[in-house]
Amino acid sequence: MIGGVVTDRLGEGLAEALEGFRRHLRAERDVSPHTLRAYDGDLRDLYRYAAEVGVREPDGLDVNVLRAWLAQQHARGRSRATLGRRTAAVRAFTAYLHRRGLISKDPGQLLGTPKRPRELPSVLAQDEAHRLLDQMDAEGPLGLRDLAILEVLYGTGVRVSELCGLDIDDLDAERATVRVLGKGNRERTVPIGEPATRAVGHWLRAGRPALAAEQSGPALFLGARGGRLHPTSARRIVHARIAEVGEMSDVSPHGLRHTAATHLLEGGADLRSVQEILGHASLQTTQIYTHVSPERLKQVHRQAHPRGAD
Protein backbone atom coordinates (compact mmCIF):
# COMPACT_ATOMS: atom_id res chain seq x y z
CA MET A 1 0.00 0.00 0.00
CA ILE A 2 1.14 3.54 -0.76
CA GLY A 3 -0.94 6.34 0.68
CA GLY A 4 -3.84 3.89 1.04
CA VAL A 5 -3.81 2.78 -2.62
CA VAL A 6 -3.05 -0.80 -3.68
CA THR A 7 -0.06 -1.04 -6.00
CA ASP A 8 -0.65 -4.53 -7.42
CA ARG A 9 -0.33 -3.25 -10.97
CA LEU A 10 3.05 -1.68 -10.26
CA GLY A 11 6.34 -3.51 -10.28
CA GLU A 12 7.87 -4.17 -6.90
CA GLY A 13 10.71 -1.74 -7.61
CA LEU A 14 8.47 1.26 -8.31
CA ALA A 15 6.13 0.41 -5.44
CA GLU A 16 9.02 0.24 -2.98
CA ALA A 17 10.50 3.48 -4.35
CA LEU A 18 7.23 5.33 -3.86
CA GLU A 19 6.82 4.03 -0.33
CA GLY A 20 10.42 4.95 0.46
CA PHE A 21 9.89 8.48 -0.84
CA ARG A 22 6.84 8.87 1.36
CA ARG A 23 8.88 7.84 4.41
CA HIS A 24 11.61 10.25 3.31
CA LEU A 25 9.17 13.17 3.17
CA ARG A 26 7.74 12.37 6.56
CA ALA A 27 10.90 11.53 8.50
CA GLU A 28 13.82 13.29 6.81
CA ARG A 29 12.33 16.41 5.21
CA ASP A 30 9.76 16.89 7.98
CA VAL A 31 7.18 18.27 5.56
CA SER A 32 3.83 19.45 6.89
CA PRO A 33 0.88 17.02 6.90
CA HIS A 34 -0.77 19.21 4.25
CA THR A 35 2.25 18.94 1.91
CA LEU A 36 2.52 15.20 2.54
CA ARG A 37 -1.13 14.68 1.59
CA ALA A 38 -0.75 16.85 -1.51
CA TYR A 39 2.38 15.03 -2.74
CA ASP A 40 0.74 11.70 -1.91
CA GLY A 41 -2.23 12.55 -4.11
CA ASP A 42 -0.01 13.81 -6.93
CA LEU A 43 2.13 10.67 -6.97
CA ARG A 44 -0.92 8.39 -6.68
CA ASP A 45 -2.04 9.89 -9.96
CA LEU A 46 1.42 9.45 -11.46
CA TYR A 47 1.70 5.78 -10.58
CA ARG A 48 -1.79 5.11 -11.92
CA TYR A 49 -0.61 6.54 -15.22
CA ALA A 50 2.67 4.60 -14.97
CA ALA A 51 0.72 1.35 -14.57
CA GLU A 52 -1.43 2.21 -17.59
CA VAL A 53 1.61 2.69 -19.85
CA GLY A 54 3.43 -0.36 -18.50
CA VAL A 55 6.07 1.32 -16.34
CA ARG A 56 6.89 -1.00 -13.46
CA GLU A 57 10.37 0.06 -12.37
CA PRO A 58 11.87 3.46 -11.41
CA ASP A 59 14.12 3.63 -14.47
CA GLY A 60 11.01 3.56 -16.65
CA LEU A 61 10.05 7.05 -15.48
CA ASP A 62 11.88 8.93 -18.20
CA VAL A 63 11.15 12.51 -19.19
CA ASN A 64 8.79 11.41 -21.97
CA VAL A 65 6.59 9.52 -19.52
CA LEU A 66 6.56 12.43 -17.10
CA ARG A 67 5.72 14.97 -19.81
CA ALA A 68 2.98 12.74 -21.18
CA TRP A 69 1.46 12.45 -17.71
CA LEU A 70 1.55 16.22 -17.19
CA ALA A 71 0.03 16.73 -20.64
CA GLN A 72 -2.78 14.41 -19.63
CA GLN A 73 -3.30 16.49 -16.48
CA HIS A 74 -3.48 19.65 -18.57
CA ALA A 75 -6.00 18.05 -20.95
CA ARG A 76 -8.16 17.17 -17.97
CA GLY A 77 -8.36 20.85 -17.06
CA ARG A 78 -6.03 20.95 -14.05
CA SER A 79 -5.23 24.49 -12.97
CA ARG A 80 -1.79 26.04 -13.34
CA ALA A 81 -1.36 25.91 -9.58
CA THR A 82 -2.13 22.18 -9.52
CA LEU A 83 0.17 21.49 -12.48
CA GLY A 84 2.93 23.49 -10.79
CA ARG A 85 2.57 21.52 -7.56
CA ARG A 86 2.49 18.19 -9.39
CA THR A 87 5.61 19.13 -11.31
CA ALA A 88 7.31 19.98 -8.01
CA ALA A 89 6.21 16.64 -6.54
CA VAL A 90 7.64 14.73 -9.50
CA ARG A 91 10.89 16.68 -9.36
CA ALA A 92 11.28 15.88 -5.68
CA PHE A 93 10.52 12.21 -6.33
CA THR A 94 12.96 11.77 -9.24
CA ALA A 95 15.66 13.68 -7.33
CA TYR A 96 15.14 11.22 -4.46
CA LEU A 97 15.42 8.27 -6.88
CA HIS A 98 18.64 9.68 -8.33
CA ARG A 99 20.22 10.26 -4.93
CA ARG A 100 19.37 6.69 -3.93
CA GLY A 101 20.94 5.34 -7.09
CA LEU A 102 17.65 3.93 -8.36
CA ILE A 103 17.92 5.86 -11.64
CA SER A 104 21.07 6.91 -13.49
CA LYS A 105 19.74 10.33 -14.58
CA ASP A 106 17.22 12.70 -13.04
CA PRO A 107 14.48 13.36 -15.64
CA GLY A 108 12.70 15.80 -13.34
CA GLN A 109 15.37 18.42 -14.04
CA LEU A 110 14.16 18.57 -17.65
CA LEU A 111 10.60 19.48 -16.74
CA GLY A 112 9.47 23.08 -17.10
CA THR A 113 7.37 24.76 -14.43
CA PRO A 114 3.99 26.19 -15.45
CA LYS A 115 3.86 29.87 -14.62
CA ARG A 116 1.28 30.65 -11.96
CA PRO A 117 -0.72 33.85 -12.17
CA ARG A 118 0.04 36.22 -9.34
CA GLU A 119 -3.34 36.29 -7.70
CA LEU A 120 -3.45 38.40 -4.58
CA PRO A 121 -6.12 37.75 -1.96
CA SER A 122 -8.65 40.39 -1.05
CA VAL A 123 -7.50 42.79 1.65
CA LEU A 124 -9.25 45.17 4.00
CA ALA A 125 -8.63 48.88 3.92
CA GLN A 126 -7.22 50.29 7.13
CA ASP A 127 -10.54 51.84 8.14
CA GLU A 128 -12.29 48.52 7.46
CA ALA A 129 -9.83 46.64 9.67
CA HIS A 130 -10.41 49.12 12.49
CA ARG A 131 -14.18 48.92 12.06
CA LEU A 132 -14.11 45.11 12.11
CA LEU A 133 -12.14 44.92 15.33
CA ASP A 134 -13.88 47.84 17.05
CA GLN A 135 -17.44 46.73 16.26
CA MET A 136 -17.16 42.98 16.89
CA ASP A 137 -19.45 41.47 19.49
CA ALA A 138 -16.97 40.30 22.11
CA GLU A 139 -19.47 39.16 24.74
CA GLY A 140 -19.03 35.81 26.44
CA PRO A 141 -16.17 33.30 26.15
CA LEU A 142 -16.59 32.76 22.40
CA GLY A 143 -16.80 36.48 21.73
CA LEU A 144 -13.61 37.12 23.67
CA ARG A 145 -11.91 34.27 21.84
CA ASP A 146 -13.00 35.43 18.40
CA LEU A 147 -11.86 38.99 19.00
CA ALA A 148 -8.48 37.72 20.20
CA ILE A 149 -8.18 35.50 17.12
CA LEU A 150 -8.84 38.33 14.68
CA GLU A 151 -6.61 40.75 16.59
CA VAL A 152 -3.73 38.26 16.49
CA LEU A 153 -4.22 37.39 12.81
CA TYR A 154 -4.27 41.04 11.81
CA GLY A 155 -1.75 42.22 14.40
CA THR A 156 0.93 39.65 13.57
CA GLY A 157 0.21 38.38 10.05
CA VAL A 158 0.67 34.77 11.18
CA ARG A 159 -0.68 31.88 9.13
CA VAL A 160 -3.88 30.28 10.41
CA SER A 161 -2.01 27.03 11.08
CA GLU A 162 0.54 28.98 13.13
CA LEU A 163 -2.24 30.69 15.08
CA CYS A 164 -3.85 27.37 15.98
CA GLY A 165 -0.48 25.94 17.00
CA LEU A 166 0.19 28.66 19.58
CA ASP A 167 0.49 27.69 23.24
CA ILE A 168 -0.17 30.01 26.17
CA ASP A 169 3.54 30.27 26.96
CA ASP A 170 4.28 31.47 23.43
CA LEU A 171 2.83 34.87 24.31
CA ASP A 172 5.12 37.34 26.07
CA ALA A 173 2.66 40.02 27.14
CA GLU A 174 5.31 42.16 28.80
CA ARG A 175 7.37 42.42 25.61
CA ALA A 176 4.29 42.32 23.35
CA THR A 177 5.69 39.48 21.24
CA VAL A 178 4.62 35.98 20.34
CA ARG A 179 6.81 32.98 19.54
CA VAL A 180 5.66 31.29 16.32
CA LEU A 181 6.60 27.90 14.90
CA GLY A 182 6.37 28.26 11.13
CA LYS A 183 6.99 26.15 8.06
CA GLY A 184 9.91 23.75 8.28
CA ASN A 185 9.78 24.08 12.08
CA ARG A 186 11.44 27.49 11.79
CA GLU A 187 10.81 29.51 14.93
CA ARG A 188 10.46 33.28 14.90
CA THR A 189 9.42 35.99 17.32
CA VAL A 190 6.77 38.37 16.03
CA PRO A 191 5.61 41.70 17.51
CA ILE A 192 1.96 41.45 18.44
CA GLY A 193 0.94 45.00 19.39
CA GLU A 194 -1.01 46.32 22.35
CA PRO A 195 -4.59 45.78 21.08
CA ALA A 196 -3.90 42.11 20.32
CA THR A 197 -2.07 41.68 23.64
CA ARG A 198 -5.06 43.13 25.51
CA ALA A 199 -7.53 40.98 23.60
CA VAL A 200 -5.58 37.82 24.32
CA GLY A 201 -5.26 38.81 27.97
CA HIS A 202 -9.04 39.24 28.28
CA TRP A 203 -9.57 35.88 26.60
CA LEU A 204 -7.14 34.14 28.95
CA ARG A 205 -8.68 35.67 32.08
CA ALA A 206 -12.39 35.62 31.30
CA GLY A 207 -12.92 33.36 28.29
CA ARG A 208 -10.56 30.40 28.16
CA PRO A 209 -11.32 29.10 31.69
CA ALA A 210 -14.98 28.70 30.68
CA LEU A 211 -14.08 26.47 27.71
CA ALA A 212 -11.03 24.67 29.12
CA ALA A 213 -11.31 20.90 29.38
CA GLU A 214 -9.05 17.94 30.02
CA GLN A 215 -8.03 17.84 26.36
CA SER A 216 -7.15 21.55 26.22
CA GLY A 217 -3.50 21.12 27.15
CA PRO A 218 -1.43 24.29 26.71
CA ALA A 219 -3.30 25.45 23.60
CA LEU A 220 -3.81 29.21 23.50
CA PHE A 221 -7.02 29.08 21.45
CA LEU A 222 -9.72 26.50 22.11
CA GLY A 223 -12.70 25.22 20.18
CA ALA A 224 -16.20 25.21 21.64
CA ARG A 225 -15.62 21.72 23.10
CA GLY A 226 -12.34 22.61 24.77
CA GLY A 227 -9.85 21.09 22.35
CA ARG A 228 -7.17 22.99 20.45
CA LEU A 229 -8.78 25.22 17.82
CA HIS A 230 -8.62 23.70 14.32
CA PRO A 231 -7.67 25.85 11.29
CA THR A 232 -11.01 25.02 9.63
CA SER A 233 -12.86 26.42 12.64
CA ALA A 234 -10.64 29.52 12.66
CA ARG A 235 -11.46 30.17 8.99
CA ARG A 236 -15.17 29.81 9.72
CA ILE A 237 -14.88 32.26 12.63
CA VAL A 238 -13.17 34.90 10.48
CA HIS A 239 -15.79 34.70 7.71
CA ALA A 240 -18.67 34.77 10.20
CA ARG A 241 -17.34 37.75 12.14
CA ILE A 242 -16.75 39.79 8.99
CA ALA A 243 -20.26 38.96 7.80
CA GLU A 244 -21.68 40.22 11.10
CA VAL A 245 -20.06 43.61 10.68
CA GLY A 246 -21.08 43.78 7.02
CA GLU A 247 -20.37 46.26 4.23
CA MET A 248 -16.80 45.13 3.68
CA SER A 249 -14.93 42.55 1.65
CA ASP A 250 -15.12 38.98 2.90
CA VAL A 251 -11.55 37.89 3.60
CA SER A 252 -10.07 34.67 4.90
CA PRO A 253 -7.35 34.34 7.55
CA HIS A 254 -4.93 34.40 4.63
CA GLY A 255 -6.54 37.67 3.56
CA LEU A 256 -5.95 39.09 7.04
CA ARG A 257 -2.31 38.00 6.79
CA HIS A 258 -2.04 39.80 3.48
CA THR A 259 -3.88 42.80 4.93
CA ALA A 260 -1.36 42.99 7.77
CA ALA A 261 1.56 42.90 5.31
CA THR A 262 -0.04 45.55 3.11
CA HIS A 263 -0.69 47.90 6.01
CA LEU A 264 2.87 47.45 7.28
CA LEU A 265 4.20 48.52 3.88
CA GLU A 266 1.76 51.42 3.73
CA GLY A 267 3.05 52.51 7.11
CA GLY A 268 6.64 52.59 5.88
CA ALA A 269 7.98 49.14 6.84
CA ASP A 270 10.78 47.85 4.64
CA LEU A 271 10.34 44.62 2.71
CA ARG A 272 13.02 42.76 4.67
CA SER A 273 11.26 43.45 7.97
CA VAL A 274 7.96 42.28 6.53
CA GLN A 275 9.71 39.11 5.36
CA GLU A 276 10.87 38.42 8.92
CA ILE A 277 7.44 39.08 10.39
CA LEU A 278 5.68 36.83 7.87
CA GLY A 279 8.27 34.08 8.22
CA HIS A 280 9.18 33.83 4.54
CA ALA A 281 12.41 31.97 3.78
CA SER A 282 12.88 34.01 0.60
CA LEU A 283 12.48 37.72 0.03
CA GLN A 284 11.09 36.87 -3.42
CA THR A 285 8.09 35.25 -1.75
CA THR A 286 7.42 38.45 0.17
CA GLN A 287 7.66 40.50 -3.02
CA ILE A 288 5.00 38.35 -4.64
CA TYR A 289 2.86 38.13 -1.52
CA THR A 290 2.74 41.83 -0.76
CA HIS A 291 1.86 44.82 -2.83
CA VAL A 292 2.19 48.53 -2.26
CA SER A 293 -0.99 50.52 -2.65
CA PRO A 294 -1.16 53.46 -5.06
CA GLU A 295 -1.64 55.79 -2.10
CA ARG A 296 1.62 54.60 -0.54
CA LEU A 297 3.43 55.08 -3.85
CA LYS A 298 2.07 58.60 -4.17
CA GLN A 299 3.11 59.38 -0.59
CA VAL A 300 6.66 58.13 -1.25
CA HIS A 301 6.78 60.15 -4.47
CA ARG A 302 5.63 63.33 -2.69
CA GLN A 303 8.23 62.89 0.05
CA ALA A 304 11.18 61.78 -2.09
CA HIS A 305 10.89 63.39 -5.49
CA PRO A 306 12.15 66.99 -5.87
CA ARG A 307 8.96 67.95 -7.70
CA GLY A 308 6.64 65.51 -5.95
CA ALA A 309 4.99 68.14 -3.76
CA ASP A 310 3.29 71.43 -4.61
Side-chain angles (χ1 to χ4, degrees):
M1 300 282 284
I2 298 174
V5 176
V6 179
T7 59
D8 292 341
R9 296 173 61 193
L10 291 178
E12 183 177 346
L14 187 54
E16 289 182 355
L18 288 163
E19 187 62 39
F21 178 64
R22 193 171 189 276
R23 289 195 301 269
H24 163 73
L25 288 177
R26 186 172 55 244
E28 297 179 34
R29 289 185 55 179
D30 194 26
V31 301
S32 69
H34 175 75
T35 300
L36 184 61
R37 286 193 300 271
Y39 274 28
D40 216 26
D42 296 337
L43 293 176
R44 276 203 302 268
D45 201 285
L46 172 62
Y47 56 67
R48 286 193 198 99
Y49 180 80
E52 290 172 3
V53 298
V55 173
R56 301 177 61 81
E57 299 297 328
D59 58 9
L61 291 175
D62 60 24
V63 69
N64 293 324
V65 170
L66 299 180
R67 283 174 175 165
W69 172 64
L70 290 170
Q72 182 191 75
Q73 299 298 300
H74 182 268
R76 289 178 175 176
R78 305 300 186 207
S79 68
R80 287 186 179 181
T82 298
L83 289 173
R85 191 196 64 231
R86 293 198 163 182
T87 301
V90 170
R91 281 177 167 169
F93 179 49
T94 59
Y96 164 83
L97 295 177
H98 188 245
R99 287 195 303 272
R100 294 297 192 275
L102 298 174
I103 54 177
S104 58
K105 296 181 179 179
D106 181 1
Q109 293 183 347
L110 302 176
L111 296 176
T113 303
K115 291 185 178 180
R116 295 178 59 180
R118 296 185 177 184
E119 297 179 356
L120 297 173
S122 298
V123 299
L124 300 178
Q126 293 190 29
D127 62 329
E128 289 180 319
H130 287 299
R131 184 156 57 88
L132 170 64
L133 298 170
D134 292 342
Q135 295 184 11
M136 267 187 59
D137 178 8
E139 294 297 321
L142 294 181
L144 292 172
R145 179 202 64 184
D146 293 357
L147 177 59
I149 287 171
L150 269 72
E151 285 280 13
V152 171
L153 286 171
Y154 174 61
T156 64
V158 295
R159 302 174 178 94
V160 65
S161 58
E162 295 170 344
L163 172 98
C164 294
L166 292 176
D167 291 336
I168 296 174
D169 290 343
D170 290 329
L171 176 70
D172 186 336
E174 184 176 341
R175 300 174 65 181
T177 60
V178 62
R179 184 173 62 243
V180 179
L181 189 64
K183 289 185 176 181
N185 285 330
R186 292 190 296 270
E187 186 177 292
R188 68 187 190 278
T189 299
V190 181
I192 190 172
E194 291 186 9
T197 302
R198 286 196 303 270
V200 173
H202 291 157
W203 151 246
L204 288 175
R205 288 190 299 273
R208 190 181 186 280
L211 297 181
E214 184 178 351
Q215 67 270 26
S216 299
L220 177 58
F221 292 112
L222 305 178
R225 297 182 180 179
R228 182 181 293 273
L229 184 69
H230 191 274
T232 301
S233 299
R235 293 186 185 96
R236 187 167 54 247
I237 288 166
V238 170
H239 288 299
R241 290 300 188 170
I242 289 175
E244 287 176 2
V245 175
E247 297 184 358
M248 67 175 61
S249 301
D250 180 28
V251 300
S252 63
H254 181 63
L256 287 179
R257 173 173 164 84
H258 189 66
T259 297
T262 301
H263 293 174
L264 282 168
L265 288 170
E266 289 177 347
D270 63 273
L271 205 58
R272 186 72 68 179
S273 297
V274 175
Q275 176 194 0
E276 291 294 325
I277 290 172
L278 296 180
H280 287 155
S282 167
L283 186 62
Q284 184 178 9
T285 305
T286 313
Q287 291 171 328
I288 295 172
Y289 189 78
T290 60
H291 68 277
V292 180
S293 69
E295 285 304 315
R296 171 62 181 158
L297 290 176
K298 287 191 287 186
Q299 178 184 347
V300 170
H301 186 269
R302 285 194 299 268
Q303 292 177 347
H305 196 280
R307 297 183 68 84
D310 292 337

